[in-house]
Amino acid sequence: MAGSGVAPGQMAEVEARRREFAALLGEFRRTPVLVPLGGEQALLTADLGGIRFILAFSDEQALARYAIARGESAREWTYQRVLGARLLDVAVPAAGVPCGVALDCADGSEGMVFPPVTGIVPDGAAVDLDDEVRHGGAV
């Protein structure tokens, strides 16, 4: 690819990683996850680098690891089961700020981040589009 900054020999690896991520994204979209509730029954979020992330967990054990990491394992954690697609397609745009989803964030490299970019969240919530494209203007 001209101008992509990727050497021709690395293209196969880049494409393999894209396919792997697309498979993980598809699986996440089809899977119910646990989303802890924060104050006023809102979804629990964390802000990092100007982006809000909804915290989601694959199961109760992953949520427990998060609670332990925060030193809050003694308190009761209220959560909802939400389909991954509903988080990305409904909750992220409803945040009103750049927002993505962090899955199993206490699990280091085993966790996954779904940032607010095209192909992951609806175009209106994607931060990698300029305002003309996002709001239907001419390009």
Side-chain angles (χ1 to χ4, degrees), residues 48-82:
L48 180 64
I51 297 177
R52 179 161 298 154
F53 287 93
I54 298 168
L55 304 183
F57 299 90
S58 56
D59 54 33
E60 288 179 343
Q61 293 78 17
L63 176 54
R65 288 188 297 275
Y66 175 76
I68 290 167
R70 290 187 49 93
E72 298 182 35
S73 60
R75 81 170 178 92
E76 181 179 335
W77 287 78
T78 305
Y79 61 83
Q80 292 182 344
R81 255 181 229 287
V82 181

Side-chain angles (χ1 to χ4, degrees), residues 39-133:
E40 300 181 21
Q41 299 298 304
L43 303 179
L44 186 63
T45 62
D47 291 350
L48 180 64
I51 297 177
R52 179 161 298 154
F53 287 93
I54 298 168
L55 304 183
F57 299 90
S58 56
D59 54 33
E60 288 179 343
Q61 293 78 17
L63 176 54
R65 288 188 297 275
Y66 175 76
I68 290 167
R70 290 187 49 93
E72 298 182 35
S73 60
R75 81 170 178 92
E76 181 179 335
W77 287 78
T78 305
Y79 61 83
Q80 292 182 344
R81 255 181 229 287
V82 181
L83 198 61
R86 189 155 177 81
L87 285 178
L88 295 173
D89 297 344
V90 178
V92 163
V97 297
C99 184
V101 176
L103 178 67
D104 296 340
C105 58
D107 293 347
S109 64
E110 296 298 313
M112 192 75 191
V113 175
F114 299 99
V117 296
T118 306
I120 296 177
V121 300
D123 286 352
V127 296
D128 60 331
L129 292 178
D130 64 30
D131 282 337
E132 280 191 43
V133 173

